Amino acid sequence: MKENYCLQAALVCLGVLCHSQAFSTERRSHLRPSFHGHHEKGKEGQVLQRSKRGWVWNQFFVIEEYTGPDPVLVGRLHSDIDSGDGNIKYILSGEGAGTIFVIDDKSGNIHATKTLDREERAQYTLMAQAVDRDTNRPLEPPSEFIVKVQDINDNPPEFLHETYHANVPERSNVGTSVIQVTASDADDPTYGNSAKLVYSILEGQPYFSVEAQTGIIRTALPNMDREAKEEYHVVIQAKDMGGHMGGLSGTTKVTITLTDVNDNPPKFPQSVYQMSVSEAAVPGEEVGRVKAKDPDIGENGLVAYNIVDGDGMELFEITTDYDTQEGVVKLKKPVDFETKRAYSLKVEAANVHIDPKFISNGPFKDTVTIKIAVEDADEPPMFLAPSYIHEVQENAAAGTVVGRVHAKDPDAANSPIRYSIDRHTDLDRFFTINPEDGFIKTTKPLDREETAWLNISVFAAEIHNRHQEAKVPVSIRVLDVNDNAPKFAAPYEGFICESDQNKPLSNQPIVTISADDKDDTANGPRFIFSLPPEIIHNPNFTVIDNRDNTAGVYARHGGFSRQKQDLYLLPIVISDGGIPPMSSTNTLTIRVCGCDVNGALLSCNAEAYILNAGLSTGALIAILACIVILLVIVVLFVTLRRQKKEPLIVFEEEDVRENIITYDDEGGGEEDTEAFDIATLQNPDGINGFIPRKDIKPEYQYMPRPGLRPAPNSVDVDDFINTRIQEADNDPTAPPYDSIQIYGYEGRGSVAGSLSSLESATTDSDLDYDYLQNWGPRFKKLADLYGSKDTFDDDS
């Protein structure tokens, strides 16, 4: 095919070249220039005159892609004034002049020096001019002409896209448009058939076809099924030269996908499903799953499940799992193996979306039978009632039967049951239960006034499996018994004004009283108030029952006097309305008080009546001042007592010699140089005077012994320490025990010697320690060291 193309191109180029040369010769002979003028008549007889041009032509042609050995002759320029003697020079200017197109300035021949491509440029505009060769004077005005590049079929068709993707619904009718593919040809569409395209299908038959002129791809087979084949690969060819032999062609690939339509109903793979559920399962628990297969996809494959019939419609339900397209069978109500052991359901699966075009394909639904077997389980006991309410009278003797709870094993084995009380609900252990028959009894008398209701829980468990147990609430009401006598509702106290004997009695009660009863209303009010039988004819007061659970206390006469009697105690009997009734005697206090003329109380004290005159304001102020002074003295005394430091050793009444004192604060010996600040010893004047002992607080200050004067500034430290040792030995406030003195001044070989108070007996102390001989064997060593008078004298 490539060789045919080359031969054809060569023949075309040769023909065009001959045609161009013949045309140029013909034009030259025909368009011979002439400079003679001629006349024409105008419309009104006017004579017009014009010059004839030296050369005239329309356009030149040159074939594209010419690859001959010599430059292509495009055409020849020739002027009528050219006599052939070489005096005229032809000049070419414009697009491509001198590079693509060159002219022989003597003969006027124009040649193309390069291969031209019409697809790059279809024509060139040039300017020709004839000038005098010697003077370059223009002999004729310049003339413009066009060189057109003549097209050859050198460009194959090209599609806009290398690959196409298209969709078409499955089961589409024959001739349904799928997609249009378009190709373009760079050749000249106005010249020949180089750009005339024809489309054809190379691959994809017999499923698809293509229109030859438009490139529209259409379905070619009916009822194409996506479930059988979803994707097709089609190859389309575009060929120029009207599709004839020798034309160039191009191809493209089209991927066509069949989109889904709902043309398939759901179908169960089997007609019966077997499932099982335990009777111990709780509502909402999954029993099993079924699935109807639908080869459609997307919304066309959505399936909804429903229970349409069966004896288990009230106990089971089915939902749709849209992720897996399964029907999930769940338990809606508890099942009982002992009641019924199997159930049957009829389940329907139907498409959610139905395409009316394919409704004739049949009902888009299917049904299946599900058989569910109930499995036996070891169930806990069941009480015959969800809760129990019993009653018992208060104060009933221990062992009184309150009531009974009853449970049974729902299993076929009917295991025996044992009962027990949840002690977390009966912390006081008021009740006990018979583990075999469930009778509840009291363990102690109950008091309704403390607790009117008692709530406990009772367990029922299988004997053979204690883990299987049930629990039921039991409420016990304590019935009231009239065991509380009524009493005054408040601590009442009456007041009556003293008056003359002849003053008329008031019709108002001295006090109105009421009662309170802890018993229930059935055993409480109505209350009856009265005086005891022995004083029912009390000469001073009487009680009148108001019959509304209150009573008024009235005086029988006037003329009460505080001097005669200022206080009356009136016993009142209060009875309740219980069966049998209960009563109590309550004492009402009635005071005789002084009143003003309006009856307002002034004073109820007998002393106030006896005193003729009250205390003056000055006397009251003096009494208050004395009380304040006494309080201040007491506060100061307590404050001073608290500021006093307690001694380290508290001496009791027993002999101090019987006390053993332990100290753990010994120093580090002679080498200890960190116990005290050395500045204390270097500045004796800073501590002149009495310094209290740190182990006890002396009760009183003592004066230094005569002759022990403060050390001067120039005193030696040895003398200073000896002085302090003597003061310690002669301190009458020091107890008879050793006090460890620690100094950090002396080192090894100190001239002061040992500072231990055990050796202080060698000083000039005048204390007598002979009494240590009488303290017993435990003080023998101290008596040997200090108690010997001779030793003391020798050392001094």
Side-chain angles (χ1 to χ4, degrees), residues 44-121:
E44 297 180 357
Q46 183 180 357
V47 178
L48 300 177
Q49 183 179 1
R50 65 174 183 176
S51 299
K52 196 173 182 180
R53 296 188 60 181
W55 53 64
V56 177
W57 64 85
N58 292 327
Q59 56 189 5
F60 290 149
F61 294 89
V62 59
I63 193 168
E64 68 170 336
E65 303 293 345
Y66 175 74
T67 57
D70 297 325
V72 179
L73 178 61
V74 177
R76 182 180 181 185
L77 300 179
H78 185 74
S79 177
D80 291 341
I81 63 175
D82 186 3
S83 59
D85 55 2
N87 292 327
I88 294 178
K89 180 181 179 182
Y90 296 97
I91 299 175
L92 186 65
S93 61
E95 298 174 344
T99 56
I100 299 176
F101 303 101
V102 295
I103 190 170
D104 187 346
D105 58 355
K106 293 182 179 181
S107 62
N109 292 334
I110 301 174
H111 292 81
T113 61
K114 294 183 179 180
T115 301
L116 302 180
D117 187 358
R118 191 202 66 85
E119 286 70 40
E120 291 185 1
R121 188 158 190 170

Side-chain angles (χ1 to χ4, degrees), residues 319-356:
T319 59
T320 303
D321 186 346
Y322 287 101
D323 293 333
T324 61
Q325 288 299 298
E326 293 177 317
V328 183
V329 181
K330 296 181 179 180
L331 184 66
K332 186 163 64 172
K333 295 181 180 179
V335 293
D336 186 12
F337 175 82
E338 287 73 27
T339 303
K340 191 171 183 178
R341 302 187 178 185
Y343 295 90
S344 178
L345 299 175
K346 187 176 181 180
V347 175
E348 178 185 83
N351 279 137
V352 177
H353 304 282
I354 298 177
D355 193 340

Side-chain angles (χ1 to χ4, degrees), residues 255-307:
T255 300
I256 300 176
T257 302
L258 297 183
T259 58
D260 184 66
V261 297
N262 191 11
D263 58 341
N264 295 281
K267 187 70 177 178
F268 285 104
Q270 59 195 68
S271 59
V272 179
Y273 284 85
Q274 299 287 344
M275 298 180 183
S276 62
V277 61
S278 173
E279 64 175 341
V282 297
E285 187 172 331
E286 181 178 324
V287 178
R289 294 187 175 219
V290 296
K291 184 175 183 179
K293 295 184 178 180
D294 190 335
D296 296 324
I297 60 175
E299 67 176 13
N300 297 319
L302 295 179
V303 179
Y305 297 87
N306 292 290
I307 299 176

Side-chain angles (χ1 to χ4, degrees), residues 333-518:
K333 295 181 180 179
V335 293
D336 186 12
F337 175 82
E338 287 73 27
T339 303
K340 191 171 183 178
R341 302 187 178 185
Y343 295 90
S344 178
L345 299 175
K346 187 176 181 180
V347 175
E348 178 185 83
N351 279 137
V352 177
H353 304 282
I354 298 177
D355 193 340
K357 297 179 181 179
F358 305 99
I359 194 67
S360 60
N361 289 11
F364 285 82
K365 57 185 178 181
D366 192 16
T367 58
V368 70
T369 300
I370 301 177
K371 293 184 178 181
I372 303 175
V374 180
E375 297 178 349
D376 189 21
D378 189 7
E379 299 176 87
M382 294 180 59
F383 284 95
L384 300 185
S387 62
Y388 292 88
I389 298 177
H390 297 307
E391 295 179 345
V392 64
Q393 285 190 342
E394 67 174 332
N395 301 326
T400 302
V401 176
V402 176
R404 184 188 182 190
V405 295
H406 185 66
K408 67 176 183 177
D409 184 10
D411 298 323
N414 195 17
S415 176
I417 305 298
R418 292 188 64 86
Y419 302 93
S420 61
I421 295 177
D422 184 1
R423 290 306 173 185
H424 293 92
T425 61
D426 186 24
L427 298 176
D428 295 325
R429 297 183 178 271
F430 288 122
F431 305 99
T432 183
I433 189 171
N434 190 315
E436 296 179 356
D437 56 18
F439 279 99
I440 301 174
K441 298 181 180 180
T442 60
T443 60
K444 61 182 75 173
L446 303 177
D447 188 0
R448 189 204 68 85
E449 286 69 41
E450 290 185 2
T451 305
W453 284 89
L454 294 170
N455 299 310
I456 63 173
S457 296
V458 176
F459 290 112
E462 296 180 9
I463 292 179
H464 303 298
N465 187 1
R466 299 301 300 272
H467 296 289
Q468 293 293 343
E469 66 177 9
K471 187 177 182 180
V472 68
V474 179
S475 298
I476 300 171
R477 179 184 179 186
V478 182
L479 300 178
D480 185 51
V481 174
N482 193 18
D483 58 345
N484 291 279
K487 297 180 180 180
F488 278 154
Y492 294 105
E493 188 173 10
F495 302 93
I496 186 171
C497 295
E498 61 178 347
S499 60
D500 298 334
Q501 188 72 24
N502 297 326
K503 186 175 182 180
L505 290 175
S506 174
N507 58 357
Q508 296 296 326
I510 299 173
V511 63
T512 300
I513 58 177
S514 63
D516 187 17
D517 195 333
K518 294 182 179 180

Side-chain angles (χ1 to χ4, degrees), residues 191-206:
Y191 180 76
N193 294 328
S194 298
K196 185 177 181 180
L197 305 180
V198 174
Y199 298 94
S200 61
I201 183 168
L202 301 183
E203 295 181 15
Q205 301 94 342

